[in-house]
């Protein structure tokens, strides 16, 4: 059932070229550079939307942070991201011109449902983005879009993260189009990149041994830092969550610019720093932060655009040219890093202590 893999998590990481293809299947009209998500929300509602609020938890929250940036930059509409457990309907918003998007792989996360229900009570229109047909999120929202990733068994969410981001990218194009804000060149670039994403991810999977060796080499680190900017920042958070969840090692992710505002105090030669230096992650500025940790002796594992060469980093991985989606490709390296590091320590991987696949309590 694990398809020859030792763990579901590894199987699911390897399924990503296919799951990413499924996320866009039948949804892109290449001829017109448009997207069809079969939404039942009316075009006139989408045209007049003034604010998009994304609500989620854990890995899905990180996908929302990525999605927020895509929605804001493509559709020119304000977008916010809130944890399901923290979502509160504030004053001064225009409920009839707000769209709440609840993102949940399982569709059963109590905190996310709590946020969605609070929105609905205020008369706000809700859209669920989920992997699970017939789930509570799908049933309770006014509309639902499925990420079509196939079942995910490992407690650590992997393939569903990429599919959530891809689905939010398609939504960003659809909302931009409905609002009359769609820039055809930018839409074309993004849709092209989405179509090339599965191939780029396959390239990372083909390089698994290299990242496995790196993960095993640094397995004794005291603490692991993950940094990136812009589209790299949610991926940094996600890389850290994955590592802490399955390896039980301390890991922190943050926007690279924040290092000097506190976390730098923790950096020693035993703090491996995984840095995203790709397109979409403002690599030049992040390279300055990389130098700050190097000055404290920290080994840097860099994930860089193919055109870049970092100075004096301990390890370097090259990410193929994929525009804003490059951090998403680097994320697959981070998944493999977490997996192999945890596996080298004999951790249970698919069922980490204290965690459940679907969190149905608040
Ligand atoms: O099913 P959901 O997407 O709503 O789950 C949300 C989180 O519980 C989930 O992403 C959790 O953070 C994962 N175990 C992370 O790998």
């Amino acid at each position: 059932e694990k398809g020859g893999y030792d763990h579901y998590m590894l199987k699911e990481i390897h399924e990503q070229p296919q799951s990413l293809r499924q996320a866009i299947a039948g949804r892109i009209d290449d001829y017109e550079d448009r997207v069809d998500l079969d939404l039942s929300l009316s075009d006139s509602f989408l045209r007049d939307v003034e604010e998009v609020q994304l609500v989620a938890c854990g890995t899905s929250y990180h996908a929302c942070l990525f999605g927020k940036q895509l929605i804001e930059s493509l559709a020119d509409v304000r977008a916010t991201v809130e944890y399901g457990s923290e979502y509160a309907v504030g004053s001064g918003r225009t409920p009839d011109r707000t769209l709440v998007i609840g993102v949940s792989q399982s569709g059963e996360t109590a905190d996310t449902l709590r946020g969605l229900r609070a929105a609905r009570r205020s008369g706000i229109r809700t859209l669920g983005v989920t992997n699970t047909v017939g789930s509570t999120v799908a049933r309770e929202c006014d509309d639902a879009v499925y990420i079509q990733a196939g079942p995910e068994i490992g407690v650590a969410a992997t393939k569903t993260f990429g599919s959530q981001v891809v689905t939010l990218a398609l939504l960003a194009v659809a909302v931009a189009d409905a609002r009359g804000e769609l820039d055809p060149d930018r839409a074309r670039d993004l849709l092209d990149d989405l179509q090339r994403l599965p191939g780029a991810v396959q390239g990372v999977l083909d390089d698994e041994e290299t990242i496995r060796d790196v993960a095993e080499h640094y397995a004794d680190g005291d603490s692991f830092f993950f940094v990136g900017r812009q589209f790299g920042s949610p991926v940094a958070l996600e890389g850290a969550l994955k590592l802490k969840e399955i390896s039980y090692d301390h890991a922190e992710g943050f926007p690279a610019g924040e290092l000097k505002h506190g976390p730098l105090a923790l950096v020693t030669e035993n703090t491996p720093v995984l840095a995203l230096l790709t397109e979409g992650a403002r690599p030049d500025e992040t390279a300055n932060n990389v130098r700050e940790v190097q000055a404290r002796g920290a080994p840097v594992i860099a994930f860089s655009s193919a055109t870049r060469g970092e100075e004096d980093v301990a390890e370097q991985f090259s990410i193929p040219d994929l525009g804003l989606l490059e951090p998403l490709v680097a994320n697959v390296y981070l998944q493999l890093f977490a997996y192999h590091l945890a596996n080298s320590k004999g951790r249970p991987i698919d069922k980490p202590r204290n965690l459940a696949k679907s969190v149905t309590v608040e």
Side-chain angles (χ1 to χ4, degrees), residues 57-60 104-106 109 155-157 241-242 245 359:
C57 307
T59 289
S60 300
S104 171
Q105 184 284 130
S106 62
T109 300
V155 164
L241 176 64
K242 220 83 304 175
E245 192 174 20
V359 185

Side-chain angles (χ1 to χ4, degrees), residues 284-329:
D284 292 336
E285 289 148 277
T286 304
N288 292 334
N289 308 118
V290 160
R291 282 188 278 279
E292 289 162 3
V293 300
Q294 283 176 316
R296 276 82 190 172
V300 170
I301 304 167
F303 301 89
S304 307
S305 293
T307 49
R308 291 181 62 89
E310 314 303 337
E311 277 169 34
D312 298 327
V313 292
E315 318 283 345
Q316 182 155 211
F317 290 87
S318 179
I319 305 298
D321 176 22
L322 212 69
L324 300 179
L325 300 184
E326 287 183 20
L328 211 48
V329 180

Side-chain angles (χ1 to χ4, degrees), residues 37-312:
L37 288 168
D38 208 11
L39 296 175
S40 62
L41 291 167
S42 72
D43 280 353
S44 63
F45 168 71
L46 292 174
R47 184 190 63 221
D48 295 339
V49 159
E50 285 174 0
E51 181 169 340
V52 175
Q53 301 174 340
L54 296 133
V55 179
C57 307
T59 289
S60 300
Y61 177 86
H62 300 152
C64 288
L65 292 174
F66 206 115
K68 163 202 155 79
Q69 301 189 59
L70 288 168
I71 292 168
E72 284 194 328
S73 66
L74 261 88
D76 193 29
V77 64
R78 182 179 140 80
T80 60
V81 187
E82 290 185 64
Y83 291 112
S85 55
E86 295 284 317
Y87 180 82
V89 182
S91 60
R93 294 181 176 147
T94 42
D96 53 332
R97 292 189 174 206
T98 299
L99 172 64
V100 165
I101 303 180
V103 179
S104 171
Q105 184 284 130
S106 62
E108 302 298 342
T109 300
D111 288 328
T112 303
L113 284 167
R114 186 204 147 274
L116 286 169
R117 286 170 183 155
R120 276 176 72 87
R121 272 198 304 276
S122 322
I124 294 179
R125 227 76 61 93
T126 55
L127 169 67
V129 172
T130 178
N131 196 28
T132 314
V133 177
S135 59
T136 311
V137 164
R139 282 185 283 112
E140 290 193 4
C141 285
D142 296 305
D143 202 350
V145 177
Y146 294 104
I147 64 169
Q148 305 180 158
E152 187 178 70
I153 311 289
V155 164
T158 52
K159 64 175 175 172
T160 54
F161 173 75
S163 298
Q164 287 169 336
V165 171
V166 165
T167 306
L168 291 173
L170 296 176
L171 262 169
V173 174
V175 173
D177 201 6
R179 286 170 57 75
E181 293 286 345
L182 192 63
D183 173 335
D185 291 338
R186 299 194 58 210
R188 179 71 268 152
D189 284 349
L190 180 61
L191 296 177
D192 273 352
D193 290 340
L194 286 171
Q195 283 164 316
R196 293 191 303 120
L197 178 63
V201 165
Q202 185 60 54
V204 174
L205 298 173
D206 293 342
D207 193 30
E208 179 169 4
E209 267 180 42
T210 321
I211 189 75
R212 184 195 65 204
D213 291 348
V214 169
E216 291 175 358
H217 182 76
Y218 292 99
D220 292 333
D222 289 339
S223 177
F224 297 81
F225 280 13
F226 292 74
V227 297
R229 288 172 186 252
Q230 204 184 349
F231 291 94
S233 151
V235 169
L237 300 182
E238 174 59 10
L241 176 64
K242 220 83 304 175
L243 185 62
K244 71 179 87 160
E245 192 174 20
I246 61 168
S247 74
Y248 312 155
D249 282 313
H250 178 253
E252 272 193 65
F254 32 80
E258 281 297 301
L259 261 172
K260 56 188 173 299
H261 297 292
L264 198 53
L266 296 173
V267 170
T268 68
E269 61 284 351
N270 224 359
T271 316
V273 176
L274 292 89
L276 295 150
L277 296 140
T278 62
E279 275 309 298
R282 303 223 305 271
D284 292 336
E285 289 148 277
T286 304
N288 292 334
N289 308 118
V290 160
R291 282 188 278 279
E292 289 162 3
V293 300
Q294 283 176 316
R296 276 82 190 172
V300 170
I301 304 167
F303 301 89
S304 307
S305 293
T307 49
R308 291 181 62 89
E310 314 303 337
E311 277 169 34
D312 298 327

Side-chain angles (χ1 to χ4, degrees), residues 328-352:
L328 211 48
V329 180
N331 184 56
V332 178
Y333 272 122
L334 303 187
Q335 293 172 344
L336 289 168
F337 181 84
Y339 173 83
H340 285 293
L341 195 148
N343 197 36
S344 73
K345 294 187 171 184
R347 304 293 190 228
I349 309 272
D350 283 334
K351 282 189 191 296

